[in-house]
Amino acid sequence: MRSYLLRRLPSALLVLFAASFLIFTILRLVPGDPATSLAGPDASPATVAAIRDRLGLDAPLLSQYAHWIGSLLTGDLGPSYAIGGEVSDLIGDGLGATTELTLAALLFVIVLGTAFGILGATSRSRWIRSAIRVTTTAALAVPPFVSGVLLVVLFAVVLGVLPPGGRVAFLAAPDLAAQYLLLPALCLALPSAAVLGRYLKDGIERALAEDYIRTATAAGVAPRRLLWRHALPGALPPVVTLLGMQTGHLLGGAVLVEAIFAWPGLGQLAEQGLQRRDYPVVQDLLLLLVAVFVVVQLLTDLVYAWLDPRIRWE
């Protein structure tokens, strides 16, 4: 497993390097002077010059890129001129909230996706299979900004059992924090749970159609044992890869869901940075999201290789 990890690390580092250069280049191609935008319309020329000097905007592009990467490696992200405060503090505060939302949504994805897949593949009731098919189709067809509003209307306005938005720190009041977390996590998880459920259903059906499963069934092995000991493990490796990809989608979808439910995470920080053209915040935040996605994919590959040793041998 260690040799497999060492073989995968160079490609992950190459992706990070390419992403950092692409993010840096695209932001520099945006029309307008970043220093003037950050300083504001009433700023003095001295203030604009100080910001330009702090960001190194007078240096060549390659020197600016090298300065940015060096600052990242040393942990000195600098100040946010538009939003206010240190960039590292802003990202650290938002990262905790986004991580909490993403982990809760991932739990929903695993639970709901597993239930959809197993029931859809093994249930003998036509009504249950039809209900699962309709539910997964609706979860995929309805965008999060629509499903989020519907969830707020149903549970916060009509039933009045859950808050419509905001966040409470989980360590401060776990029961209250769970109430604020439930709706945004469910909204974020529904599309990925539908994809996972359909993929798992197809994998279990293919596994149950194998000859050794038929032989075991004819020999009198209990269906539950066949499902949990043979069919489900056989369907897991590709599902693990899909789950890793969906985790990246959860991070991307969190930007929209946080706006709907007023969740103070990285999504709101990215929105503020883009609106105010706060380039230090935006470029650091985008690279952080790419790094998280790369790490998740690397961990997914490791789990896949652990479940299927043929991957390590290849």
Side-chain angles (χ1 to χ4, degrees):
M1 185 68 72
R2 182 180 302 174
S3 60
Y4 177 76
L5 175 61
L6 292 177
R7 292 200 307 268
R8 295 288 290 115
L9 276 178
S11 61
L13 294 176
L14 181 61
V15 169
L16 280 177
F17 169 75
S20 66
F21 189 78
L22 186 62
I23 291 170
F24 176 85
T25 304
I26 290 177
L27 289 179
R28 294 308 184 278
L29 293 177
V30 176
D33 182 12
T36 303
S37 300
L38 291 174
D42 300 327
S44 63
T47 302
V48 175
I51 294 177
R52 183 178 288 110
D53 180 69
R54 177 66 178 82
L55 297 178
L57 297 178
D58 294 329
L61 285 179
L62 289 180
S63 298
Q64 294 182 38
Y65 175 75
H67 178 267
W68 175 47
I69 296 299
S71 299
L72 289 176
L73 294 178
T74 57
D76 180 19
L77 304 184
S80 168
Y81 294 96
I83 300 176
E86 293 292 324
V87 175
S88 57
D89 295 335
L90 294 173
I91 293 179
D93 294 339
L95 182 61
T98 298
T99 301
E100 182 180 309
L101 176 60
T102 304
L103 291 178
L106 185 61
L107 180 60
F108 272 119
V109 169
I110 295 173
V111 173
L112 294 177
T114 302
F116 291 155
I118 293 178
L119 289 177
T122 61
S123 177
R124 297 181 181 179
S125 172
R126 181 169 61 89
W127 296 105
I128 293 179
R129 294 197 303 270
S130 298
I132 291 175
R133 184 164 56 252
V134 170
T135 301
T136 55
T137 300
L140 289 171
V142 179
F145 63 85
V146 175
S147 61
V149 173
L150 293 177
L151 288 173
V152 169
V153 171
L154 177 60
F155 291 100
V157 178
V158 178
L159 299 178
V161 294
L162 291 174
R167 176 179 181 259
V168 173
F170 202 86
L171 295 178
D175 54 342
L176 188 59
Q179 298 178 35
Y180 279 89
L181 181 61
L182 186 58
L183 286 184
L186 182 60
C187 175
L188 182 59
L190 282 176
S192 296
V195 173
L196 185 69
R198 288 191 170 189
Y199 211 90
L200 183 60
K201 170 183 172 295
D202 293 340
I204 292 176
E205 288 178 343
R206 286 194 300 268
L208 291 175
E210 295 288 342
D211 292 337
Y212 73 93
I213 295 291
R214 295 176 180 174
T215 301
T217 302
V221 179
R224 181 175 298 180
R225 180 181 178 85
L226 289 175
L227 172 65
W228 292 101
R229 294 293 298 274
H230 300 284
L232 188 59
L236 276 183
V239 171
V240 169
T241 300
L242 178 68
L243 184 61
M245 297 174 61
Q246 292 302 314
T247 303
H249 293 162
L250 293 178
L251 290 171
V255 175
L256 179 59
V257 173
E258 288 178 4
I260 296 173
F261 293 93
W263 190 266
L266 294 180
Q268 283 197 359
L269 180 61
E271 181 184 4
Q272 294 176 7
L274 289 171
Q275 288 180 348
R276 303 180 186 182
R277 302 184 68 176
D278 197 333
Y279 294 104
V281 172
V282 174
Q283 65 185 11
D284 292 342
L285 187 56
L286 290 177
L287 185 58
L288 172 64
L289 294 178
V290 172
V292 171
F293 186 80
V294 169
V295 171
V296 169
Q297 293 303 309
L298 184 60
L299 293 176
T300 301
D301 290 341
L302 292 177
V303 175
Y304 197 130
W306 176 69
L307 291 173
D308 189 351
R310 293 174 298 178
I311 302 297
R312 298 198 301 269
W313 298 337
E314 293 175 357

PDB file of all heavy atoms in Angstrom, residues 79-103:
ATOM      1  N   PRO A  79      -3.186  40.078   4.730  1.00  0.00           N
ATOM      2  CA  PRO A  79      -4.489  40.615   5.150  1.00  0.00           C
ATOM      3  C   PRO A  79      -5.494  40.626   4.002  1.00  0.00           C
ATOM      4  O   PRO A  79      -5.126  40.579   2.828  1.00  0.00           O
ATOM      5  CB  PRO A  79      -4.148  42.042   5.579  1.00  0.00           C
ATOM      6  CG  PRO A  79      -2.994  42.412   4.687  1.00  0.00           C
ATOM      7  CD  PRO A  79      -2.201  41.152   4.455  1.00  0.00           C
ATOM      8  N   SER A  80      -6.757  40.722   4.375  1.00  0.00           N
ATOM      9  CA  SER A  80      -7.837  40.930   3.414  1.00  0.00           C
ATOM     10  C   SER A  80      -8.183  42.411   3.430  1.00  0.00           C
ATOM     11  O   SER A  80      -8.671  42.919   4.443  1.00  0.00           O
ATOM     12  CB  SER A  80      -9.064  40.082   3.780  1.00  0.00           C
ATOM     13  OG  SER A  80     -10.182  40.488   3.021  1.00  0.00           O
ATOM     14  N   TYR A  81      -7.958  43.076   2.303  1.00  0.00           N
ATOM     15  CA  TYR A  81      -8.156  44.517   2.268  1.00  0.00           C
ATOM     16  C   TYR A  81      -9.630  44.885   2.120  1.00  0.00           C
ATOM     17  O   TYR A  81     -10.048  45.957   2.558  1.00  0.00           O
ATOM     18  CB  TYR A  81      -7.350  45.129   1.116  1.00  0.00           C
ATOM     19  CG  TYR A  81      -5.864  45.018   1.313  1.00  0.00           C
ATOM     20  CD1 TYR A  81      -5.147  43.976   0.741  1.00  0.00           C
ATOM     21  CD2 TYR A  81      -5.178  45.946   2.092  1.00  0.00           C
ATOM     22  CE1 TYR A  81      -3.782  43.868   0.921  1.00  0.00           C
ATOM     23  CE2 TYR A  81      -3.805  45.846   2.278  1.00  0.00           C
ATOM     24  CZ  TYR A  81      -3.114  44.792   1.690  1.00  0.00           C
ATOM     25  OH  TYR A  81      -1.769  44.687   1.880  1.00  0.00           O
ATOM     26  N   ALA A  82     -10.425  44.038   1.493  1.00  0.00           N
ATOM     27  CA  ALA A  82     -11.835  44.359   1.243  1.00  0.00           C
ATOM     28  C   ALA A  82     -12.734  43.866   2.366  1.00  0.00           C
ATOM     29  O   ALA A  82     -13.614  44.584   2.838  1.00  0.00           O
ATOM     30  CB  ALA A  82     -12.283  43.766  -0.088  1.00  0.00           C
ATOM     31  N   ILE A  83     -12.542  42.628   2.804  1.00  0.00           N
ATOM     32  CA  ILE A  83     -13.402  42.047   3.838  1.00  0.00           C
ATOM     33  C   ILE A  83     -12.929  42.457   5.226  1.00  0.00           C
ATOM     34  O   ILE A  83     -13.724  42.749   6.119  1.00  0.00           O
ATOM     35  CB  ILE A  83     -13.443  40.511   3.706  1.00  0.00           C
ATOM     36  CG1 ILE A  83     -13.983  40.133   2.327  1.00  0.00           C
ATOM     37  CG2 ILE A  83     -14.296  39.883   4.797  1.00  0.00           C
ATOM     38  CD1 ILE A  83     -13.966  38.633   2.058  1.00  0.00           C
ATOM     39  N   GLY A  84     -11.609  42.496   5.410  1.00  0.00           N
ATOM     40  CA  GLY A  84     -11.051  42.861   6.703  1.00  0.00           C
ATOM     41  C   GLY A  84     -10.564  41.657   7.472  1.00  0.00           C
ATOM     42  O   GLY A  84     -11.175  40.585   7.426  1.00  0.00           O
ATOM     43  N   GLY A  85      -9.441  41.804   8.169  1.00  0.00           N
ATOM     44  CA  GLY A  85      -8.870  40.714   8.930  1.00  0.00           C
ATOM     45  C   GLY A  85      -7.830  39.945   8.135  1.00  0.00           C
ATOM     46  O   GLY A  85      -7.576  40.217   6.955  1.00  0.00           O
ATOM     47  N   GLU A  86      -7.195  38.997   8.794  1.00  0.00           N
ATOM     48  CA  GLU A  86      -6.207  38.147   8.138  1.00  0.00           C
ATOM     49  C   GLU A  86      -6.905  37.077   7.299  1.00  0.00           C
ATOM     50  O   GLU A  86      -7.929  36.517   7.715  1.00  0.00           O
ATOM     51  CB  GLU A  86      -5.308  37.480   9.169  1.00  0.00           C
ATOM     52  CG  GLU A  86      -4.403  38.443   9.910  1.00  0.00           C
ATOM     53  CD  GLU A  86      -3.337  39.043   8.994  1.00  0.00           C
ATOM     54  OE1 GLU A  86      -2.850  38.316   8.100  1.00  0.00           O
ATOM     55  OE2 GLU A  86      -3.010  40.231   9.165  1.00  0.00           O
ATOM     56  N   VAL A  87      -6.345  36.792   6.135  1.00  0.00           N
ATOM     57  CA  VAL A  87      -6.940  35.789   5.244  1.00  0.00           C
ATOM     58  C   VAL A  87      -6.955  34.418   5.915  1.00  0.00           C
ATOM     59  O   VAL A  87      -7.925  33.661   5.800  1.00  0.00           O
ATOM     60  CB  VAL A  87      -6.171  35.731   3.908  1.00  0.00           C
ATOM     61  CG1 VAL A  87      -6.715  34.615   3.023  1.00  0.00           C
ATOM     62  CG2 VAL A  87      -6.252  37.067   3.188  1.00  0.00           C
ATOM     63  N   SER A  88      -5.895  34.090   6.644  1.00  0.00           N
ATOM     64  CA  SER A  88      -5.841  32.784   7.315  1.00  0.00           C
ATOM     65  C   SER A  88      -6.947  32.653   8.356  1.00  0.00           C
ATOM     66  O   SER A  88      -7.545  31.579   8.502  1.00  0.00           O
ATOM     67  CB  SER A  88      -4.477  32.600   7.969  1.00  0.00           C
ATOM     68  OG  SER A  88      -4.204  33.660   8.881  1.00  0.00           O
ATOM     69  N   ASP A  89      -7.251  33.754   9.068  1.00  0.00           N
ATOM     70  CA  ASP A  89      -8.325  33.700  10.062  1.00  0.00           C
ATOM     71  C   ASP A  89      -9.687  33.559   9.394  1.00  0.00           C
ATOM     72  O   ASP A  89     -10.548  32.805   9.864  1.00  0.00           O
ATOM     73  CB  ASP A  89      -8.305  34.959  10.931  1.00  0.00           C
ATOM     74  CG  ASP A  89      -7.046  35.059  11.776  1.00  0.00           C
ATOM     75  OD1 ASP A  89      -6.444  33.997  12.053  1.00  0.00           O
ATOM     76  OD2 ASP A  89      -6.661  36.181  12.145  1.00  0.00           O
ATOM     77  N   LEU A  90      -9.902  34.275   8.300  1.00  0.00           N
ATOM     78  CA  LEU A  90     -11.180  34.189   7.591  1.00  0.00           C
ATOM     79  C   LEU A  90     -11.413  32.785   7.058  1.00  0.00           C
ATOM     80  O   LEU A  90     -12.504  32.215   7.194  1.00  0.00           O
ATOM     81  CB  LEU A  90     -11.210  35.201   6.440  1.00  0.00           C
ATOM     82  CG  LEU A  90     -11.206  36.683   6.819  1.00  0.00           C
ATOM     83  CD1 LEU A  90     -11.072  37.547   5.569  1.00  0.00           C
ATOM     84  CD2 LEU A  90     -12.465  37.040   7.581  1.00  0.00           C
ATOM     85  N   ILE A  91     -10.381  32.210   6.445  1.00  0.00           N
ATOM     86  CA  ILE A  91     -10.520  30.865   5.899  1.00  0.00           C
ATOM     87  C   ILE A  91     -10.666  29.843   7.021  1.00  0.00           C
ATOM     88  O   ILE A  91     -11.454  28.894   6.915  1.00  0.00           O
ATOM     89  CB  ILE A  91      -9.309  30.531   4.997  1.00  0.00           C
ATOM     90  CG1 ILE A  91      -9.338  31.414   3.739  1.00  0.00           C
ATOM     91  CG2 ILE A  91      -9.306  29.049   4.609  1.00  0.00           C
ATOM     92  CD1 ILE A  91      -8.178  31.185   2.807  1.00  0.00           C
ATOM     93  N   GLY A  92      -9.930  30.035   8.118  1.00  0.00           N
ATOM     94  CA  GLY A  92     -10.043  29.097   9.236  1.00  0.00           C
ATOM     95  C   GLY A  92     -11.428  29.086   9.846  1.00  0.00           C
ATOM     96  O   GLY A  92     -11.984  28.030  10.157  1.00  0.00           O
ATOM     97  N   ASP A  93     -12.026  30.275   9.996  1.00  0.00           N
ATOM     98  CA  ASP A  93     -13.380  30.348  10.551  1.00  0.00           C
ATOM     99  C   ASP A  93     -14.398  29.697   9.615  1.00  0.00           C
ATOM    100  O   ASP A  93     -15.285  28.955  10.058  1.00  0.00           O
ATOM    101  CB  ASP A  93     -13.768  31.812  10.805  1.00  0.00           C
ATOM    102  CG  ASP A  93     -12.917  32.452  11.890  1.00  0.00           C
ATOM    103  OD1 ASP A  93     -12.330  31.697  12.692  1.00  0.00           O
ATOM    104  OD2 ASP A  93     -12.830  33.695  11.925  1.00  0.00           O
ATOM    105  N   GLY A  94     -14.300  29.987   8.324  1.00  0.00           N
ATOM    106  CA  GLY A  94     -15.255  29.406   7.375  1.00  0.00           C
ATOM    107  C   GLY A  94     -15.038  27.927   7.151  1.00  0.00           C
ATOM    108  O   GLY A  94     -15.990  27.189   6.882  1.00  0.00           O
ATOM    109  N   LEU A  95     -13.770  27.476   7.274  1.00  0.00           N
ATOM    110  CA  LEU A  95     -13.474  26.072   7.018  1.00  0.00           C
ATOM    111  C   LEU A  95     -14.165  25.164   8.029  1.00  0.00           C
ATOM    112  O   LEU A  95     -14.657  24.086   7.673  1.00  0.00           O
ATOM    113  CB  LEU A  95     -11.957  25.848   7.058  1.00  0.00           C
ATOM    114  CG  LEU A  95     -11.467  24.432   6.757  1.00  0.00           C
ATOM    115  CD1 LEU A  95     -11.884  24.007   5.356  1.00  0.00           C
ATOM    116  CD2 LEU A  95      -9.948  24.354   6.910  1.00  0.00           C
ATOM    117  N   GLY A  96     -14.223  25.582   9.288  1.00  0.00           N
ATOM    118  CA  GLY A  96     -14.893  24.762  10.294  1.00  0.00           C
ATOM    119  C   GLY A  96     -16.362  24.580   9.995  1.00  0.00           C
ATOM    120  O   GLY A  96     -16.896  23.467  10.090  1.00  0.00           O
ATOM    121  N   ALA A  97     -17.040  25.668   9.595  1.00  0.00           N
ATOM    122  CA  ALA A  97     -18.466  25.569   9.287  1.00  0.00           C
ATOM    123  C   ALA A  97     -18.717  24.737   8.042  1.00  0.00           C
ATOM    124  O   ALA A  97     -19.642  23.904   8.010  1.00  0.00           O
ATOM    125  CB  ALA A  97     -19.051  26.979   9.105  1.00  0.00           C
ATOM    126  N   THR A  98     -17.900  24.914   7.009  1.00  0.00           N
ATOM    127  CA  THR A  98     -18.085  24.143   5.778  1.00  0.00           C
ATOM    128  C   THR A  98     -17.768  22.669   6.001  1.00  0.00           C
ATOM    129  O   THR A  98     -18.440  21.787   5.457  1.00  0.00           O
ATOM    130  CB  THR A  98     -17.204  24.719   4.659  1.00  0.00           C
ATOM    131  OG1 THR A  98     -17.606  26.062   4.400  1.00  0.00           O
ATOM    132  CG2 THR A  98     -17.348  23.913   3.385  1.00  0.00           C
ATOM    133  N   THR A  99     -16.740  22.382   6.788  1.00  0.00           N
ATOM    134  CA  THR A  99     -16.414  20.989   7.097  1.00  0.00           C
ATOM    135  C   THR A  99     -17.557  20.314   7.851  1.00  0.00           C
ATOM    136  O   THR A  99     -17.923  19.163   7.570  1.00  0.00           O
ATOM    137  CB  THR A  99     -15.124  20.921   7.931  1.00  0.00           C
ATOM    138  OG1 THR A  99     -14.053  21.524   7.200  1.00  0.00           O
ATOM    139  CG2 THR A  99     -14.763  19.481   8.256  1.00  0.00           C
ATOM    140  N   GLU A 100     -18.137  21.036   8.807  1.00  0.00           N
ATOM    141  CA  GLU A 100     -19.272  20.498   9.553  1.00  0.00           C
ATOM    142  C   GLU A 100     -20.448  20.191   8.630  1.00  0.00           C
ATOM    143  O   GLU A 100     -21.059  19.115   8.708  1.00  0.00           O
ATOM    144  CB  GLU A 100     -19.686  21.521  10.614  1.00  0.00           C
ATOM    145  CG  GLU A 100     -20.833  21.092  11.499  1.00  0.00           C
ATOM    146  CD  GLU A 100     -21.178  22.166  12.510  1.00  0.00           C
ATOM    147  OE1 GLU A 100     -20.255  22.652  13.197  1.00  0.00           O
ATOM    148  OE2 GLU A 100     -22.366  22.536  12.606  1.00  0.00           O
ATOM    149  N   LEU A 101     -20.755  21.107   7.723  1.00  0.00           N
ATOM    150  CA  LEU A 101     -21.859  20.906   6.783  1.00  0.00           C
ATOM    151  C   LEU A 101     -21.559  19.763   5.818  1.00  0.00           C
ATOM    152  O   LEU A 101     -22.431  18.920   5.554  1.00  0.00           O
ATOM    153  CB  LEU A 101     -22.104  22.205   6.007  1.00  0.00           C
ATOM    154  CG  LEU A 101     -23.161  22.148   4.902  1.00  0.00           C
ATOM    155  CD1 LEU A 101     -24.518  21.769   5.455  1.00  0.00           C
ATOM    156  CD2 LEU A 101     -23.235  23.484   4.169  1.00  0.00           C
ATOM    157  N   THR A 102     -20.330  19.697   5.312  1.00  0.00           N
ATOM    158  CA  THR A 102     -19.979  18.660   4.344  1.00  0.00           C
ATOM    159  C   THR A 102     -19.990  17.279   4.974  1.00  0.00           C
ATOM    160  O   THR A 102     -20.468  16.306   4.375  1.00  0.00           O
ATOM    161  CB  THR A 102     -18.598  18.957   3.745  1.00  0.00           C
ATOM    162  OG1 THR A 102     -18.594  20.268   3.165  1.00  0.00           O
ATOM    163  CG2 THR A 102     -18.246  17.941   2.674  1.00  0.00           C
ATOM    164  N   LEU A 103     -19.480  17.145   6.197  1.00  0.00           N
ATOM    165  CA  LEU A 103     -19.480  15.849   6.866  1.00  0.00           C
ATOM    166  C   LEU A 103     -20.898  15.378   7.171  1.00  0.00           C
ATOM    167  O   LEU A 103     -21.217  14.182   7.012  1.00  0.00           O
ATOM    168  CB  LEU A 103     -18.652  15.922   8.143  1.00  0.00           C
ATOM    169  CG  LEU A 103     -17.139  16.082   7.963  1.00  0.00           C
ATOM    170  CD1 LEU A 103     -16.444  16.182   9.322  1.00  0.00           C
ATOM    171  CD2 LEU A 103     -16.559  14.921   7.163  1.00  0.00           C
TER     172      LEU A 103
END
